[in-house]
């Protein structure tokens, strides 16, 4: 029996706990429990006590049902980035004729993570981009170990976020008396559970559309090239439907998931949803499938175009040879891959955790777009336990794990998973579909296609600090 691994995913919509055992070919799931997030917004814990209560409930349930004790876990860190900043520094080696070791590289990574920032900021992750060793310019990070030379210039891209992103998570697990073995960037964890070796090598962009944020990670030649977090996702789509139709958030979510599509042109004109009035004294409302899909397509388009802008702005579009991989809870939306293909002009696939890494006899719920992050967290921890720097970036800052002589430091990240399992339990709460005749329409209040809810495109562009005129 292999070592037991516990992974915890703190999402805007869902908190998840996964317990598994490592096997020769991957991991076998022992328990997988989820509950609605309470105390988390946009991936950041704003109420530690509420989050602690929800998480403790899950942990206690697993411990009682499985007869096990959970005292350590691998955890992700969520929330938007404040900025990405390049950072270069030089070191002079005392023994230029000796091979550059893993311990030396770990020290370089710690130096990058120690970059001075403002008091309310923290370096959440350092992506190594290239290294110059004497006259060898632009050496790949994976080729650095084993090289020889005297002068080394280290080039990194730093992911800088709010210190509260990490501090509140640390306080949470201190209160729960759970030791955190690793803090892992969510986009990295998600990519670990879904990407193939060919995709990582050829160049791929992973778009994880959650509830509060959309995470983007670009990987090529098995190395991370870029990470970004866009502060709009599935909850933004639901909110637009709520405003446009004057219905509750719950009913808007039901309509989105059950009846919506990302391509308005694919919807029949006469299909209509009747939203029953549960308050009394108000007329029932009628929302056409056409209007509903119009709202969804507009918002998903804006989110995907924001991702496209981010990729183009960093000069990465031509390197995405293997195409686009979409995952996360909102990837359940119908025809989202077709819409994405029209925007990116690349092949698109919807991803779930691969059964190449997770044994097929495991809990079937783990094979869902909602579970990509937590599955990836467990796989990353398995890699660490086996002394392997995990894919998709086997030679990034985590290489320090292989050296006992280096202080381990703290590493973090961004993410969010849109947990959608519970929505279908609400489908009888006053929402049904019908084909409505002209006579019926007279007695039912029609939700008109009025002025659109305020577009999120301006907000997205504000987030990137550019105007629409500067869009790529």
């Amino acid at each position: 029996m292999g070592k037991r691994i516990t992974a915890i995913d703190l999402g805007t919509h869902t908190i998840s706990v996964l317990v598994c055992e490592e096997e020769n070919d991957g991991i076998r799931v022992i328990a997988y429990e989820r509950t609605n997030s309470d105390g988390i917004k946009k991936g950041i814990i704003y109420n530690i006590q509420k989050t602690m209560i929800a998480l403790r409930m899950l942990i206690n349930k697993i411990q009682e049902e499985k007869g096990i004790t959970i005292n350590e876990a691998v955890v992700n860190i969520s929330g938007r980035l404040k900025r990405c900043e390049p950072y270069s520094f030089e070191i002079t080696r005392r023994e230029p004729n000796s091979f550059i070791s893993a311990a030396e590289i770990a020290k370089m990574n710690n130096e990058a993570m120690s970059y001075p920032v403002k008091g309310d900021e923290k370096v959440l992750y350092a992506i190594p981009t290239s290294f110059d060793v004497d006259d060898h310019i632009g050496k790949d990070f994976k080729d650095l170990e084993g090289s020889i030379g005297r002068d080394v210039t280290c080039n990194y891209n730093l992911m800088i976020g709010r210190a509260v992103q990490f501090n509140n998570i640390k306080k949470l697990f201190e209160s729960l008396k759970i030791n955190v073995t690793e803090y892992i960037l969510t986009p990295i964890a998600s990519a670990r559970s879904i990407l193939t070796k060919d995709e990582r090598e050829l160049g791929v962009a992973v778009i994880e559309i959650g509830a509060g944020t959309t995470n983007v990670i670009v990987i090529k030649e098995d190395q991370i090239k870029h990470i970004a977090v866009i502060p709009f996702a599935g909850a933004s789509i639901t909110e637009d439907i709520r405003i446009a139709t004057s219905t509750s958030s719950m009913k808007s979510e039901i309509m989105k998931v059950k009846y919506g599509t990302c391509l308005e042109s694919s919807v029949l004109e006469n299909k209509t949803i009747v939203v029953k009035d549960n308050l009394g004294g108000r007329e029932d409302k009628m929302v056409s499938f056409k209007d509903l899909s119009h709202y969804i397509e507009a918002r998903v388009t804006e989110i995907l175009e924001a991702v496209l802008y981010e990729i183009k702005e960093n000069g990465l579009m031509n390197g995405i040879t293997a195409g686009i991989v979409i995952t996360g809870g909102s990837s359940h939306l119908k025809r989202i891959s077709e819409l994405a293909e029209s925007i990116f002009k690349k092949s698109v696939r919807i991803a779930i955790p691969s059964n190449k890494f997770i044994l097929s006899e495991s809990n079937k719920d783990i094979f869902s777009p909602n579970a990509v992050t937590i599955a990836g967290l467990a796989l990353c921890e398995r890699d660490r336990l086996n002394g392997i720097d995990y894919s998709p970036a086997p030679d990034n800052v985590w290489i320090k794990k292989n050296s006992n002589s280096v202080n381990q430091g703290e590493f973090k990240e961004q993410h969010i998973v849109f947990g959608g399992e519970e929505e279908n339990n609400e489908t009888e709460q006053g929402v049904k579909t019908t084909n409505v005749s002209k006579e019926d329409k007279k007695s039912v209040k029609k939700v008109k296609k009025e002025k659109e809810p305020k577009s999120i495109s301006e907000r997205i562009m504000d987030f990137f600090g550019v105007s629409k005129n500067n869009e790529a």
Side-chain angles (χ1 to χ4, degrees), residues 384-440:
R384 185 187 71 85
L385 293 171
N386 287 280
I388 302 171
D389 292 312
Y390 61 80
S391 301
D395 296 314
N396 63 20
V397 294
W398 303 97
I399 198 167
K400 67 181 182 163
K401 297 171 186 173
N402 294 336
S403 174
N404 295 326
S405 62
V406 180
N407 180 17
Q408 293 251 335
E410 296 167 343
F411 291 69
K412 7 265 128 135
E413 96 114 332
Q414 6 284 311
H415 115 112
I416 222 27
V417 174
F418 179 80
E421 295 85 355
E422 278 74 38
E423 295 104 37
N424 289 338
N425 296 331
E426 309 290 349
T427 54
E428 300 303 320
Q429 299 292 323
V431 178
K432 65 177 182 179
T433 62
T434 184
N435 293 324
V436 182
S437 66
K438 292 182 179 179
E439 291 74 18
D440 293 332

Side-chain angles (χ1 to χ4, degrees), residues 225-269:
K225 299 300 181 182
H226 188 64
I227 294 175
V229 180
I230 295 169
F232 303 101
S236 303
I237 304 167
T238 303
E239 178 66 6
D240 289 337
I241 296 171
R242 185 191 69 80
I243 293 172
T245 62
S246 299
T247 54
S248 68
S249 295
M250 183 189 72
K251 290 179 179 178
S252 298
E253 180 70 14
I254 294 169
M255 289 191 288
K256 179 184 77 173
V257 174
K258 284 187 65 69
Y259 311 121
T261 175
C262 293
L263 287 180
E264 180 186 356
S265 60
S266 67
V267 179
L268 299 175
E269 291 282 354

Side-chain angles (χ1 to χ4, degrees), residues 106-138:
K107 290 178 182 178
M108 299 174 195
N109 295 326
N110 285 343
E111 169 66 24
M113 292 295 294
S114 301
Y115 178 78
V117 292
K118 298 176 182 178
D120 63 341
E121 296 179 340
K122 193 171 187 68
V123 178
L124 300 180
Y125 194 65
I127 301 175
T129 55
S130 66
F131 294 81
D132 303 335
V133 182
D134 292 340
D135 295 331
H136 299 281
I137 308 301

Side-chain angles (χ1 to χ4, degrees), residues 11 34 42 44 50 57 80 123 166 184 193-194 218 238 245 255 261 297 314 342 354 366 414 465:
R34 294 141 292 166
K42 296 288 184 181
I44 297 178
K50 286 184 177 181
M57 179 192 70
R80 62 180 266 189
V123 178
F166 173 69
I184 298 179
S193 71
I194 60 178
V218 179
T238 303
T245 62
M255 289 191 288
T261 175
E297 180 178 351
N314 288 276
S342 70
S354 172
I366 201 68
Q414 6 284 311

Side-chain angles (χ1 to χ4, degrees), residues 7 17 26 72 113 120 138 156 171 222-223 263 303 305 319 362 389-390 422 425 433 441:
V17 179
E72 65 176 24
M113 292 295 294
D120 63 341
Y156 288 83
K171 291 175 184 176
D222 223 17
Q223 293 190 23
L263 287 180
I303 291 170
E305 285 180 346
S362 297
D389 292 312
Y390 61 80
E422 278 74 38
N425 296 331
T433 62
K441 290 180 181 180

Side-chain angles (χ1 to χ4, degrees), residues 73-224:
V74 55
V75 179
N76 64 321
I77 295 179
S78 304
R80 62 180 266 189
L81 294 170
K82 294 190 73 173
R83 66 183 187 279
C84 301
E85 192 166 304
Y87 177 42
S88 298
F89 57 91
E90 297 180 358
I91 62 171
T92 299
R93 302 180 68 228
R94 294 179 180 177
E95 299 179 13
N97 293 322
S98 65
F99 295 126
I100 295 175
S101 67
E104 287 182 273
I105 295 173
K107 290 178 182 178
M108 299 174 195
N109 295 326
N110 285 343
E111 169 66 24
M113 292 295 294
S114 301
Y115 178 78
V117 292
K118 298 176 182 178
D120 63 341
E121 296 179 340
K122 193 171 187 68
V123 178
L124 300 180
Y125 194 65
I127 301 175
T129 55
S130 66
F131 294 81
D132 303 335
V133 182
D134 292 340
D135 295 331
H136 299 281
I137 308 301
K139 184 179 284 289
D140 227 56
F141 190 72
K142 64 183 179 181
D143 297 325
L144 183 60
E145 185 176 358
S147 300
I148 60 173
R150 178 176 180 272
D151 298 315
V152 181
T153 301
C154 312
N155 304 303
Y156 288 83
N157 278 335
L158 304 182
M159 308 290 110
I160 299 173
R162 298 168 59 191
V164 69
Q165 290 173 251
F166 173 69
N167 294 338
N168 283 359
I169 290 181
K170 187 175 180 179
K171 291 175 184 176
L172 169 67
F173 285 96
E174 286 175 349
S175 299
L176 290 167
K177 294 182 171 54
I178 292 177
N179 176 50
V180 178
T181 57
E182 293 290 350
Y183 296 98
I184 298 179
L185 292 168
T186 299
I188 295 174
S190 299
R192 174 64 178 89
S193 71
I194 60 178
L195 293 183
T196 66
K197 182 178 180 180
D198 285 347
E199 286 173 329
R200 300 194 308 264
E201 184 66 30
L202 293 173
V204 63
V206 177
I207 304 171
E208 183 182 3
I209 309 176
T213 58
T214 297
N215 297 308
V216 184
I217 182 169
V218 179
I219 298 165
K220 188 176 177 65
E221 296 172 350
D222 223 17
Q223 293 190 23
I224 298 170

Side-chain angles (χ1 to χ4, degrees), residues 235-247 252 291-299 302 447-459 468:
S236 303
I237 304 167
T238 303
E239 178 66 6
D240 289 337
I241 296 171
R242 185 191 69 80
I243 293 172
T245 62
S246 299
T247 54
S252 298
D291 287 355
L292 175 64
S293 296
H294 173 79
Y295 305 136
I296 295 172
E297 180 178 351
R299 302 319 177 220
E302 289 179 324
V447 176
K448 297 181 180 178
K449 197 172 182 178
E450 298 173 349
K451 183 179 179 181
E452 296 292 338
K454 185 177 180 181
S455 170
I456 66 171
S457 61
E458 290 85 3
R459 288 177 279 164
K468 278 193 168 184

